[in-house]
Amino acid sequence: MTYMKKPNVRHPGLRKNDLGLTRRDYEGLVSTLCAGCGHDSISAAIIEACFELDLPAHRLAKLSGIGCSSKTPTYFLNRSHGFNSVHGRMPSIATGANLANRDLIYLGVSGDGDTASIGLGQFCHAMRRRVNMIYIVENNGTYGLTKGQFSATSDRVSKSKKGEANLFEAIDLCTLAIHLGAGFVARGFSGDKGHLVPLIKAAFRYNGFAFIDIVSPCVTFNDHEDSTKSYDYVRAHNEAMDRLDLVPEREEITAHTEEGQTTTVRMHDGSLMRLHKLDDNYDPCDSESALTTLRKRYAKGQVVTGLLHIDNTDADLHELLGTTKQPLNAVPMGDLCPGNAELAKINKSLR
Amino acid sequence: MSSTDVAVKSRGMRPTDITDPDYFHKVVDCQWACPAHTPVPEYIRLIAQGRYTDAYMLNWESNVFPGILGRTCDRPCEPACRRGRLEDKPVAICRLKRVAADFRGDVSGLMPKIPKKKNGKCIALLGAGPASLTVARDLMPLGYTCVLFEKDPRGGGLMRTNIPSFRLPEKVINEEVDMILGMGVEARFGHEVTSLKAVLDEGFDGVFVGTGAPRGKDLEIPGREEAARNIHIGIDWLTSIAFEHVKKIGKRVVVIGGGNTAMDCCRSAIRLGGKDVRVTVRSPRADMKASDWEIEDAEREGIPIFDNHQPSEFIVENGKLAGVKFARMSAEYDKDGRRKLIPTGEEVVFECDDVLMAIGQDNAFPWIERDIGLEFGEWEMPIVDKTTMMSTRPGVFFGGDAGWGPENIIWAVAHGHQAAISIDLHCSGQSLTASRPAPGTSLVSQKMGMHEWSYANDYSEDSRVAVPHVATKKSLKNLKVEVELGYDVELALEEAERCLNCDVQTVFVRNLCIECDACVDICPVDCINFTANGEEQELRQSLRVPAANAEQDLYISDQLKTGRIMAKDEDLCLHCGLCAERCPTGAWDMQKFTYVERQANPVGQVNCMAYIS
């Protein structure tokens, strides 16, 4: 951490987006996490993605639970809405908020403890329900705030900083997400923003539950030689399955891409996502293929990154429930609360 | 590794060699731009700490006349100041220098010791201006005997004769000139040298010519001769004021010229009885040579500036000057941007009682014989070596305006230092080039603990602090009232905090870096990048914010683990140290780069290091 506020002065040549904002307009307070924390890079990647997508910050809500990762929403988008919930309960808050106001963009930020341990049930149900949100897990495989115990995502081969062995199998959150029907499942690495930023941008454009598991080294407790979530290990074993391009709706596609190597997916808002596959044997549109690839590569000790699975056809929670198209705060009071006579009618129909 | 990989790897920029003293020196823009390479951020920190005497002495070692320069310097450091590229205005470096002089304690005990036993070498210094005085200051402590020849009755040269006392009080000149004369310089005031040969015949071991550019340019237009009694050459007129030979001027005064001398002339005129004082310039206002702040000062005193006015005739009535006729001009620029002044056909007459002509100065060496082995080149200027300051006649050196034409005090000081080195080498039979001493440099970490640095690294968002002035009404009544009051302690502190401490360098150690991006994300001005290497032009374009200022270097590291390099654009770095604070491995550190120019007297360098510590 640092004691000094990041000066407001900025480079006069800083690029502006369509809203006339610079990247710095999407920043938050200076991080109080350990220097070099992967989570800070993820915050920077979120800032970059929002800037590039010209997102109006006031139309976005940041939600989080408890943990180092859940502190990070303070460090980006300080002009957005935010809710720091109880440990592991962020998915419930997100679901409720989303049902009340479907017009906001929901960004959930959680960690491996908040999601894979205390909040595992909540996480599963948010996916099942296809809540329209982005759910980012900043996954460092350790409980940093409580001094470095193994978390539920620590790989069995990984050792603690003091050399203790991990007795339990890891929960692979991407595999779980594909199983439970998340329509957008990706894995990124905090140390590779060039790859990560397009993933976050694509997730913002996806309608439904978009999950990104981001491997994020804990410099204090999990960046040693026997860790499988260290900068060095992930860099040495990173297998990127694809490279993403997000083509905004207004831009024409001009570049030719190689047959069979590129999958183009039209996103909900009309923009196109181009996936340049780096592995022939895998098809992100086929969940079976994705699961097989994940399992095989994991067995080899590889860290698979990229957009692992996408299904753009399924309806989201609002469509499934047939809710009103308007956010509740815009529904006229008379419709929102039709009065005793209506209530009596409904009650009667249920008798 | 395949052969193509090797080709890719070898492509692009080479890692920066930070052991080259020029690399970090260049990052300290102010010090680099200063001809005498005064350690600016260093003395500003001393001022902030209230160590005015140390700040003064650090300046004195480097630029010899801190009190004078703190009021009159042309300040090449300020346009160079990094702060000026981040926001509108640079740090008021010059006026902070004055603070050191205003608040210093007694420095007599800190003056160099002059050996009682002389080294037997005797040097003649011609002209008692800043260049000659600097040579004396540097050589006296080494045991030289210095003989100073000056046509005027007092020392200081143009500092005394051409800068009006409302900008530079006589007391300040006397103090700083006397510090040098007090070392035992043998001064022959009122002694005009009319023959260099005669001086050489006296058998000096070295001769330094620091006689300035003493001849004001004249204007040969109709009426010049008839009106001569009321037409004055600016620098001569200012000299006459300095020695109190002139005490008044007519009510209506036309000043011709747009340089700093013109500004001094008009402001002096308004104090000596001028009621309607006008400045006329032949070029457009934007092309005026005077420093912006001197133009501002003149206008604040209510003096109008008429640009695009070219004098065509002095109008004489009854044998006396009655006015000046001007042709109105208009500037046109060709496609290469070259300016041409075209008469518009319109003519105007300004009626006046006196004219002050300040259209430039020339060198003049009628007193140097052309058969003594001293060659002259273009524009009748002596041929002088830019490094050694020696003319084509061994043992005769030039500096200041005499060497290179009209410049300013700080250049004269820089030349004086270099000439003193050469004279010392010449007198001891060493090579003037190969034996020149190197600058003293050091690079020391400023880390005091977690997030603690030895310097105030937080960025001050304050705007430049204006220097308080005496009420115009009061200052216009008396030529000797100094217009600027100078900063008080509080204002000085506020202004000092605006300094970015550009001498505290960001030093990158490649093998400690884990490429976590923490520095990239925290940098307020986006100057740090981790990227693929490339040729400089290509690399500059590919950075987070393209590095458009080609005058500022890129700091390049060797290849990192991922095959990328670190590339930092030095241009707008705040030197705030946040990169080093956020670095988990100490790959970034803030290290103070000290650069002290070597002078003839090696003790000066040692002293500087002592004032800094």
Side-chain angles (χ1 to χ4, degrees):
Chain A
M1 64 174 287
T2 174
Y3 303 127
M4 190 178 115
K5 188 172 141 264
K6 180 168 173 173
N8 284 325
V9 61
R10 51 191 71 178
H11 197 301
L14 210 53
R15 195 162 62 86
K16 287 185 174 164
N17 66 11
D18 281 359
L19 299 179
L21 301 173
T22 69
R23 189 196 295 124
R24 295 219 40 204
D25 295 313
Y26 290 87
E27 287 181 347
L29 301 181
V30 170
S31 169
T32 58
L33 299 175
C34 309
C37 180
H39 296 1
D40 286 336
S41 292
I42 299 170
S43 297
I46 292 170
I47 289 167
E48 186 73 33
C50 293
F51 163 75
E52 286 180 13
L53 290 174
D54 310 314
L55 288 187
H58 67 284
R59 300 306 297 159
L60 191 141
K62 311 171 284 185
L63 306 132
S64 64
I66 296 293
C68 295
S69 56
S70 293
K71 288 173 71 178
T72 64
T74 309
Y75 315 138
F76 56 83
L77 297 172
N78 62 356
R79 300 174 189 191
S80 295
H81 306 276
F83 198 107
N84 198 196
S85 83
V86 181
H87 206 356
R89 270 57 184 163
M90 177 268 280
S92 301
I93 305 292
T95 308
N98 189 302
L99 283 171
N101 187 347
R102 61 188 296 168
D103 282 357
L104 293 184
I105 301 163
Y106 293 95
L107 171 63
V109 177
S110 181
D112 38 323
D114 198 57
T115 290
S117 292
I118 193 168
L120 190 60
Q122 297 240 332
F123 172 61
C124 292
H125 289 288
M127 283 193 283
R128 253 186 82 236
R129 290 175 179 148
R130 297 190 48 80
V131 178
N132 184 12
M133 71 180 293
I134 301 147
Y135 193 112
I136 285 176
V137 169
E138 304 187 345
N139 188 349
N140 57 16
T142 188
Y143 292 151
L145 275 185
T146 54
K147 306 274 195 289
Q149 299 82 355
F150 291 113
S151 83
T153 62
S154 306
D155 294 314
R156 193 153 183 193
V157 292
S158 197
K159 287 187 179 160
S160 77
K161 196 175 181 179
K162 289 201 168 161
E164 292 147 339
N166 180 17
L167 303 177
F168 306 109
E169 241 357 290
I171 294 175
D172 183 68
L173 292 172
C174 288
T175 304
L176 187 66
I178 297 171
H179 268 302
L180 287 169
F184 181 109
V185 178
R187 182 177 287 130
F189 171 44
S190 71
D192 186 356
K193 281 207 201 86
H195 185 255
L196 179 59
V197 173
L199 282 179
I200 298 175
K201 283 165 70 178
F204 271 117
R205 286 287 177 247
Y206 180 76
N207 188 61
F209 193 90
F211 175 66
I212 313 178
D213 176 34
I214 305 175
V215 184
S216 172
C218 170
V219 280
T220 303
F221 294 109
N222 209 7
D223 193 32
H224 45 272
E225 211 173 303
D226 294 325
S227 160
T228 56
K229 288 198 167 46
S230 65
Y231 282 105
D232 283 350
Y233 184 90
V234 180
R235 287 209 167 103
H237 298 83
N238 187 353
E239 290 292 316
M241 305 305 283
D242 45 54
R243 206 159 42 75
L244 271 188
D245 275 343
L246 194 68
V247 186
E249 194 185 9
R250 60 181 182 274
E251 269 176 44
E252 226 181 304
I253 301 175
T254 47
H256 285 285
T257 46
E258 285 169 57
E259 271 313 302
Q261 286 292 311
T262 300
T263 308
T264 305
V265 182
R266 185 166 286 279
M267 306 301 272
H268 207 70
D269 66 344
S271 54
L272 292 175
M273 184 179 67
R274 284 188 310 192
L275 257 170
H276 309 282
K277 284 193 290 177
L278 303 175
D279 178 344
D280 282 349
N281 298 321
Y282 130 92
D283 175 6
C285 297
D286 172 6
S287 59
E288 281 309 315
S289 155
L291 287 169
T292 310
T293 306
L294 276 174
R295 198 178 59 244
K296 282 186 181 164
R297 299 287 191 129
Y298 182 72
K300 288 192 208 164
Q302 294 176 341
V303 181
V304 175
T305 54
L307 178 54
L308 306 174
H309 174 55
I310 181 147
D311 175 358
N312 218 17
T313 57
D314 217 350
D316 79 347
L317 180 59
H318 282 284
E319 290 166 64
L320 291 170
L321 294 179
T323 56
T324 171
K325 299 278 182 236
Q326 286 172 299
L328 297 188
N329 61 12
V331 175
M333 202 53 193
D335 296 345
L336 200 61
C337 185
N340 271 338
E342 268 317 296
L343 182 63
K345 228 191 269 174
I346 292 167
N347 283 342
K348 199 175 166 194
S349 76
L350 296 172
R351 282 203 184 100
Chain B
M1 199 182 278
S2 71
S3 58
T4 44
D5 287 341
V6 174
V8 168
K9 192 176 175 222
S10 62
R11 222 181 109 256
M13 290 184 74
R14 297 164 65 91
T16 303
D17 176 15
I18 60 167
T19 60
D20 174 357
D22 276 359
Y23 182 74
F24 280 144
H25 186 192
K26 217 175 145 192
V27 176
V28 196
D29 289 306
C30 46
Q31 189 177 8
W32 178 259
C34 175
H37 301 311
T38 302
V40 175
E42 200 69 79
Y43 80 69
I44 291 182
R45 279 192 298 272
L46 292 174
I47 289 169
Q49 292 164 25
R51 291 168 60 190
Y52 306 114
T53 304
D54 289 339
Y56 181 84
M57 287 307 294
L58 187 62
N59 265 291
W60 188 82
E61 291 290 353
S62 161
N63 55 50
V64 191
F65 305 104
I68 295 172
L69 288 166
R71 292 164 164 88
T72 62
C73 190
D74 197 47
R75 1 170 163 166
C77 51
E78 291 193 20
C81 173
R82 179 163 279 112
R83 186 105 195 177
R85 299 197 292 275
L86 278 162
E87 53 172 86
D88 265 3
K89 294 203 171 156
V91 175
I93 300 169
C94 182
R95 294 317 188 243
L96 284 171
K97 189 195 304 291
R98 175 179 165 177
V99 167
D102 285 356
F103 296 106
R104 71 177 165 86
D106 178 21
V107 295
S108 52
L110 299 168
M111 291 288 115
K113 303 277 172 288
I114 309 300
K116 288 220 168 59
K117 193 171 176 315
K118 297 289 171 188
N119 68 0
K121 305 282 183 189
C122 189
I123 311 298
L125 306 169
L126 312 188
S132 294
L133 289 172
T134 300
V135 176
R137 206 279 314 252
D138 287 1
L139 293 182
M140 288 301 293
L142 298 176
Y144 284 86
T145 302
C146 292
V147 182
L148 187 66
F149 296 81
E150 169 59 51
K151 69 174 180 348
D152 286 333
R154 310 215 43 188
L158 68 83
M159 304 189 293
R160 183 183 298 279
T161 61
N162 279 188
I163 302 175
S165 49
F166 56 84
R167 284 214 290 134
L168 176 62
E170 201 185 357
K171 178 174 165 277
V172 179
I173 307 174
N174 290 346
E175 269 175 3
E176 291 187 339
V177 170
D178 289 348
M179 282 181 200
I180 298 165
L181 298 179
M183 292 175 177
V185 175
E186 185 191 327
R188 301 186 188 169
F189 290 123
H191 182 132
E192 184 166 7
V193 174
T194 51
S195 160
L196 181 59
K197 194 162 179 295
V199 173
L200 292 170
D201 287 346
E202 283 192 49
F204 288 104
D205 296 288
V207 174
F208 176 78
V209 181
T211 48
R215 183 191 281 173
K217 284 187 186 165
D218 206 342
L219 199 58
E220 295 305 329
I221 53 173
R224 173 71 182 90
E225 267 177 50
E226 295 87 325
R229 210 160 61 85
N230 293 94
I231 298 173
H232 318 280
I233 301 289
I235 55 169
D236 297 342
W237 184 72
L238 290 171
T239 305
S240 304
I241 297 174
F243 291 114
E244 300 185 349
H245 302 316
V246 165
K247 288 185 178 155
K248 61 177 199 298
I249 195 160
K251 286 208 161 26
R252 298 167 305 169
V253 180
V254 168
V255 177
I256 298 173
N260 286 337
T261 304
M263 298 304 116
D264 285 338
C265 283
C266 67
R267 296 178 68 196
S268 297
I270 208 163
R271 286 164 169 79
L272 293 186
K275 294 286 173 225
D276 172 9
V277 178
R278 302 170 176 207
V279 173
T280 62
V281 199
R282 56 197 281 269
S283 60
R285 182 181 165 126
D287 296 350
M288 278 173 67
K289 284 197 178 135
S291 311
D292 291 340
W293 53 89
E294 300 209 13
I295 298 176
E296 270 172 40
D297 286 341
E299 289 189 321
R300 191 181 300 114
E301 294 175 358
I303 298 165
I305 293 170
F306 296 87
D307 64 350
N308 296 316
H309 278 60
Q310 171 151 296
S312 57
E313 187 185 343
F314 294 111
I315 297 168
V316 183
E317 279 171 18
N318 305 325
K320 193 170 174 287
L321 178 75
V324 188
K325 188 188 274 180
F326 293 91
R328 295 289 299 270
M329 310 302 278
S330 137
E332 282 177 22
Y333 298 86
D334 66 14
K335 63 178 189 300
D336 299 325
R338 267 187 304 243
R339 191 191 72 191
K340 246 176 130 177
L341 292 176
I342 316 272
T344 62
E346 196 187 335
E347 288 193 326
V348 281
V349 173
F350 288 163
E351 291 176 3
C352 65
D353 304 312
D354 283 289
V355 165
L356 297 171
M357 220 148 20
I359 52 173
Q361 284 160 254
D362 274 332
N363 291 70
F365 300 102
W367 52 278
I368 298 184
E369 293 79 359
R370 303 300 146 115
D371 60 352
I372 54 171
L374 204 157
E375 287 173 36
F376 282 74
E378 269 186 302
W379 300 301
E380 280 299 288
M381 287 291 283
I383 295 170
V384 181
D385 185 279
K386 274 207 138 74
T387 310
T388 65
M389 305 283 138
M390 191 159 79
S391 69
T392 53
R393 179 177 164 129
V396 178
F397 302 83
F398 282 73
D401 291 359
W404 312 104
E407 267 290 353
N408 38 65
I409 305 168
I410 190 68
W411 277 105
V413 170
H415 296 158
H417 287 315
Q418 292 309 316
I421 289 172
S422 297
I423 293 169
D424 189 36
L425 293 171
H426 174 77
C427 289
S428 54
Q430 299 181 67
S431 159
L432 299 198
T433 45
S435 305
R436 291 192 96 69
T441 63
S442 65
L443 191 62
V444 180
S445 177
Q446 300 300 294
K447 199 172 174 69
M448 306 289 281
M450 287 283 281
H451 315 116
E452 271 185 84
W453 304 100
S454 71
Y455 69 109
N457 59 324
D458 205 351
Y459 180 82
S460 156
E461 291 182 3
D462 292 341
S463 310
R464 183 174 165 123
V465 180
V467 177
H469 284 205
V470 159
T472 309
K473 240 181 166 175
K474 188 178 165 200
S475 69
L476 292 187
K477 275 190 200 139
N478 185 345
L479 189 78
K480 299 213 164 165
V481 170
E482 187 174 14
V483 171
E484 291 193 10
L485 293 168
Y487 290 134
D488 61 21
V489 170
E490 275 88 45
L491 292 177
L493 187 60
E494 196 180 327
E495 185 60 25
E497 287 301 324
R498 295 180 72 238
C499 174
L500 297 175
N501 302 285
C502 296
D503 59 340
V504 182
Q505 307 287 349
T506 54
V507 176
F508 182 73
V509 181
R510 178 190 64 116
N511 54 8
L512 292 178
C513 177
I514 58 169
E515 299 178 66
C516 68
D517 273 3
C519 51
V520 177
D521 299 334
I522 196 71
C523 177
V525 284
D526 291 280
C527 58
I528 302 172
N529 302 266
F530 289 85
T531 178
N533 202 350
E535 296 303 332
E536 182 165 355
Q537 281 320 308
E538 177 196 344
L539 194 58
R540 281 178 173 272
Q541 283 310 310
S542 70
L543 302 186
R544 282 164 76 80
V545 181
N549 185 355
E551 284 175 16
Q552 292 282 323
D553 287 335
L554 298 183
Y555 181 3
I556 303 290
S557 80
D558 215 334
Q559 212 168 46
L560 294 150
K561 269 190 196 157
T562 58
R564 300 179 298 173
I565 55 156
M566 187 288 299
K568 180 195 164 211
D569 180 7
E570 298 281 13
D571 188 19
L572 297 180
C573 172
L574 304 181
H575 300 259
C576 63
L578 280 175
C579 50
E581 288 193 17
R582 294 302 295 172
C583 181
T585 61
W588 285 107
D589 190 23
M590 302 309 290
Q591 301 188 4
K592 187 168 83 180
F593 175 72
T594 307
Y595 179 101
V596 180
E597 193 80 322
R598 239 309 286 274
Q599 297 168 1
N601 177 12
V603 177
Q605 205 171 38
V606 178
N607 287 345
C608 284
M609 291 298 185
Y611 297 128
I612 289 165
S613 64

